[in-house]
Each structure stands twice: as structure tokens, then as C-alpha cells.
Amino acid sequence: MLGIIGGSGWSKIAWLDDVEKRAVQTPYGKPSAPLELARYNDSSTVGNAQETVCFLGRHGETHTIAPHKVNYQANVHAMWEAGVDAIIAINAVGACSAAFSPGTLVLPDQIIDYTYGREHTFFDTLENFSSHVDFTEPFDLNLRQRLLACAGRVDVPLHDGGTYGCTQGPRFESAAEIRKIARDGCDLVGMTLMPEAALCRERRIPVASICMVVNPAAGVADGVISMADIDQAMAVASAAVADILKHYLAGSI
Ligand code: HPA
């Protein structure tokens, strides 16, 4: 079963069908919201697979949980226990250069973690060397290729590759922080994909992230970061992400 973890702008997916809410507890506490087990009944697709999907809004049902307060362990554990075998994460990001304009979708292939103080692992004791999981390639190649194919089919531009820098938030960065993060090699900056991606790896769940560029990061464009501009870019990008996901869920790729 596919899992979808929605970020800002994605606390709920209105176009899913047969939604069954399942409130769960985990050894790590409560996930951000009840899991939503649902289907996408796309009647226009021949051979409609109607697979169940498991949706979870990372910031809670009403978008109240700040990035540093998300219980990433509970979220990933809950999805794993529900039987999710792949996760598509949706993440709003700033762009570290003018190369990605607001509204652009990017499928990152690398990540750098700048967060601190977050519960970032399921392995607090070293039982054996399997606690040291490989994270050379943080994102799953097959899942990424499938998403690229879906994007191509629905004619939505989805940029292949990029490095995501995960900052602590909830404030945006200073211009100097963004210059440093860009020098480190990051193309995108967001607040939520770590430790989520690493926890997925520890649970052996393949993950890919569709990043929605919603603003030029601090200092990349003139002026301050505007929430009104972000909302506008988010609406455009979210519609494009929905097109990709619907095609994915229709099961024709
Ligand atoms: N920085 C960090 N996280 C973000 C940004 C940003 O500029 N935009 C959206 N999420």
C-alpha cells in the first residue's frame, strides 16, 4: 500500500474516496493525525486498480504542528505498522537559487540535515551493526522514476534531482544561512524532510519527495519572504502535484 505524507497545503486530500479514518497510537506516541485509508476511484482509467492508499497530514488535520514539533517517529512507525510499502512525501520548499521559480516541482535525489533536537532514529541502542543504516541514496530510484513517468504522462514539469537542505524552522533562514546552505550544495531548503526520510530508511520503507518550490529562499530575490506569495505558489504547485498523484494512483504506470 502506498503512503502519502502531506506537508503544508496538504493537510487533507479532498479528492480521495472511501476514506476511513484510523486513529492509532505507537510506542513513540501519537502520529500527527488519524491515518486516512482511502482509494482513488478514477472512473476514466481503464483497468482502474483502486488500490488503497494511506494518507497522513504531517502538520495535523488543521495544520497546527510546527516542523520541529512533528512526531516523525510516530508518523513513520504508524505508516509502517499500517503496512505501507512506499511513501511519497510532499514538501513545500524555498529555492536556493533563481534557477527554480515558485511553482516549480522538484524530485530531490540528495539531502543534508541541519536540524537539531529532533528524535531522529528508531535505534537508540546498538544491538548490532544493522543499526547503522546505509543512507548513501536517501531517495528510492524506482519510486522517483515512476513519479517522473507519471509527470510526463500528465504533462507536468517535474525537475529530476536536487539536494534538499533541511533546516530547523519554524523561522525562515537569514540570507547568510542560505548562502552557506547553497555553498554546501543545496538547491532547495525546507523544514520537514528530516528526520522523516532517515526514519523511513530505518524502517526500510522506500521514499521519494515531491518538493513544491513556493518561494525564493532568503536573499535569493529582493525583499522579504511573503506569505501571500507563498500561498499563491502553493496553490499552483499543489494542483500539479495532484495531477501526478492521481495518475500514480490510477495505477496505469
Ligand atoms: N526555508 C525553509 N523552509 C521553507 C521555505 C524556506 O524558504 N519555504 C518553504 N519552506
Side-chain angles (χ1 to χ4, degrees), residues 11 31 107 136 148:
S11 295
L107 202 56
T136 311
L148 285 167

Side-chain angles (χ1 to χ4, degrees), residues 92-94 167 172-173 189-191 214-218 225 230:
V93 295
T167 57
F172 292 123
E173 299 70 35
V189 62
M191 303 175 191
V214 295
N215 60 286
I225 295 173
I230 284 183

Side-chain angles (χ1 to χ4, degrees), residues 24-99:
V24 298
Q25 267 289 350
T26 79
Y28 307 95
K30 261 195 186 167
S32 300
L35 301 179
E36 292 196 4
L37 293 135
R39 285 176 210 284
Y40 173 53
N41 294 334
D42 176 18
S43 51
S44 69
T45 307
V46 181
N48 179 5
Q50 299 200 349
E51 270 181 42
T52 309
V53 52
C54 179
F55 173 76
L56 176 59
R58 189 187 286 121
H59 297 288
E61 286 183 286
T62 51
H63 200 265
T64 49
I65 308 173
H68 64 295
K69 290 290 190 188
V70 171
N71 189 337
Y72 296 96
Q73 287 175 313
N75 287 354
V76 172
H77 186 90
M79 287 229 151
W80 175 75
E81 209 157 53
V84 158
D85 54 18
I87 288 179
I88 298 173
I90 306 168
N91 301 81
V93 295
C96 298
S97 79

Side-chain angles (χ1 to χ4, degrees), residues 32-233:
S32 300
L35 301 179
E36 292 196 4
L37 293 135
R39 285 176 210 284
Y40 173 53
N41 294 334
D42 176 18
S43 51
S44 69
T45 307
V46 181
N48 179 5
Q50 299 200 349
E51 270 181 42
T52 309
V53 52
C54 179
F55 173 76
L56 176 59
R58 189 187 286 121
H59 297 288
E61 286 183 286
T62 51
H63 200 265
T64 49
I65 308 173
H68 64 295
K69 290 290 190 188
V70 171
N71 189 337
Y72 296 96
Q73 287 175 313
N75 287 354
V76 172
H77 186 90
M79 287 229 151
W80 175 75
E81 209 157 53
V84 158
D85 54 18
I87 288 179
I88 298 173
I90 306 168
N91 301 81
V93 295
C96 298
S97 79
F100 293 134
S101 52
T104 303
L105 302 186
V106 184
L107 202 56
D109 60 351
Q110 276 300 329
I111 197 160
I112 297 179
D113 189 3
Y114 300 97
T115 66
Y116 46 87
R118 301 183 182 190
E119 294 290 346
H120 65 284
T121 180
F122 291 118
F123 298 137
D124 274 337
T125 54
L126 290 182
E127 277 157 35
N128 54 48
F129 279 100
S130 67
S131 309
H132 298 294
V133 296
D134 176 79
F135 202 49
T136 311
E137 297 297 336
F139 301 106
D140 185 75
L141 187 60
N142 285 337
L143 202 49
R144 292 180 53 235
Q145 281 175 341
R146 208 165 147 191
L147 285 168
L148 285 167
C150 288
R153 289 277 183 89
V154 292
D155 231 357
V156 168
L158 174 60
H159 183 89
D160 183 15
T163 298
Y164 177 113
C166 193
T167 57
Q168 178 73 351
R171 67 165 175 83
F172 292 123
E173 299 70 35
S174 69
E177 285 171 333
I178 291 299
R179 286 197 296 272
K180 171 189 184 280
I181 289 168
R183 278 197 304 275
D184 283 353
C186 294
D187 306 289
L188 311 167
V189 62
M191 303 175 191
T192 49
L193 199 44
M194 287 296 276
E196 195 169 274
L199 291 165
C200 287
R201 178 57 53 87
E202 287 187 351
R203 284 283 184 257
R204 311 268 173 220
I205 306 172
V207 66
S209 159
I210 304 178
C211 287
M212 309 185 292
V213 176
V214 295
N215 60 286
V220 171
D222 290 339
V224 297
I225 295 173
S226 140
M227 283 315 296
D229 290 349
I230 284 183
D231 284 345
Q232 221 179 348

